[in-house]
Amino acid sequence: EDQVTQSPEALRLQEGESSSLNCSYTVSGLRGLFWYRQDPGKGPEFLFTLYSAGEEKEKERLKATLTKKESFLHITAPKPEDSATYLCAVQATGNTGKLIFGQGTTLQVKP
Amino acid sequence: EAGVTQFPSHSVIEKGQTVTLRCDPISGHDNLYWYRRVMGKEIKFLLHFVKESKQDESGMPNNRFLAERTGGTYSTLKVQPAELEDSGVYFCASSQVWNTEAFFGQGTRLTVV
């Protein structure tokens, strides 16, 4: 069964303290891995898509990487406005556009 | 450009009643998806429309849920009759191509009492 597991569930950082979020996945075949950010009371906001092992994408303080079994979202020198829940989702081969989500990592960055 | 819009943002109904949720996708997006997040769980897929056709409805929990997409534009998700376990946040998303990023609406929080 296709599955996505994110860790840790929650992460508290001081402003400027870099860290990484993990997304482990088990799928029959990976078509794409997606990272989203979700703020309270809002829908998921698209960040990155990764398609193959070794691929990396960057946006401001965020960098996403992909291996054959997991993806990391690296946050460099975070700011309080980076506080949010970060969601990882995979799209498996053979399926439609269906996304399989992990439970998310809730990040809190304190000033 | 307008994003994905969902109505209502909140709905509180009694068990046994009917509720209809609406989603207006981004203009020009043929692919429309419904997802649901129940408390404490991950977001789960319900179904996928391509234009007005149901491409994948493998995530629909039971026949109390009916989704339609009139003329390939907006979509509705009707729950009839609602049960307590239907409570959660229902998200709609749309994408231009089925295997690219999907853009989500703000969600409809449904509470069945």
Side-chain angles (χ1 to χ4, degrees):
Chain A
E1 182 184 344
D2 299 334
Q3 192 170 339
V4 177
T5 303
Q6 292 187 246
S7 61
E9 287 186 15
L11 182 62
R12 297 173 72 175
L13 300 173
Q14 287 296 128
E15 184 172 3
E17 180 187 1
S18 302
S19 188
S20 297
L21 281 53
N22 178 262
C23 170
S24 298
Y25 62 90
T26 305
V27 290
S28 50
L30 181 69
R31 187 178 297 282
L33 185 141
F34 300 78
W35 281 99
Y36 286 85
R37 168 192 170 129
Q38 186 175 21
D39 293 295
K42 297 193 175 182
E45 176 190 343
F46 172 74
L47 293 173
F48 304 110
T49 310
L50 301 166
Y51 292 105
S52 56
E55 189 175 359
E56 298 182 352
K57 294 266 179 81
E58 281 189 72
K59 180 181 179 180
E60 295 180 352
R61 294 176 293 282
L62 300 177
K63 179 180 175 180
T65 61
L66 180 65
T67 72
K68 289 187 177 180
K69 293 185 177 181
E70 58 192 349
S71 176
F72 291 94
L73 185 65
H74 307 278
I75 304 177
T76 302
K79 298 182 178 182
E81 53 262 42
D82 294 322
S83 298
T85 295
Y86 291 85
L87 300 167
C88 173
V90 299
Q91 195 177 65
T93 56
N95 285 337
T96 65
K98 165 183 174 181
L99 292 174
I100 302 160
F101 280 88
Q103 286 215 343
T105 294
T106 300
L107 172 66
Q108 184 181 30
V109 182
K110 295 202 159 188
Chain B
E1 178 183 284
V4 177
T5 308
Q6 295 186 242
F7 304 96
S9 54
H10 294 87
S11 180
V12 181
I13 62 171
E14 291 185 353
K15 177 181 171 182
Q17 288 187 323
T18 298
V19 64
T20 300
L21 313 181
R22 174 171 169 145
C23 169
D24 286 77
I26 294 172
S27 178
H29 281 194
D30 287 340
N31 295 272
L32 186 150
Y33 311 86
W34 284 98
Y35 289 86
R36 175 174 74 172
R37 185 169 199 163
V38 298
M39 191 178 295
K41 299 280 190 177
E42 69 275 17
I43 295 174
K44 285 200 171 177
F45 169 82
L46 295 177
L47 88 160
H48 172 200
F49 282 102
V50 177
K51 297 185 180 179
E52 68 275 8
S53 299
K54 293 176 184 174
Q55 181 72 17
D56 180 358
E57 50 185 328
S58 61
M60 294 288 265
N62 52 60
N63 58 10
R64 295 186 293 104
F65 289 75
L66 175 64
E68 295 179 323
R69 190 176 183 193
T70 308
T73 55
Y74 71 90
S75 175
T76 58
L77 180 65
K78 182 161 72 173
V79 185
Q80 178 183 32
E83 298 289 345
L84 298 179
E85 64 263 25
D86 300 331
S87 296
V89 183
Y90 290 76
F91 292 104
C92 175
S94 71
S95 66
Q96 199 160 26
V97 181
W98 68 272
N99 61 345
T100 60
E101 65 272 14
F103 297 92
F104 283 74
Q106 82 282 8
T108 294
R109 180 174 294 279
L110 173 65
T111 303
V112 183
V113 297

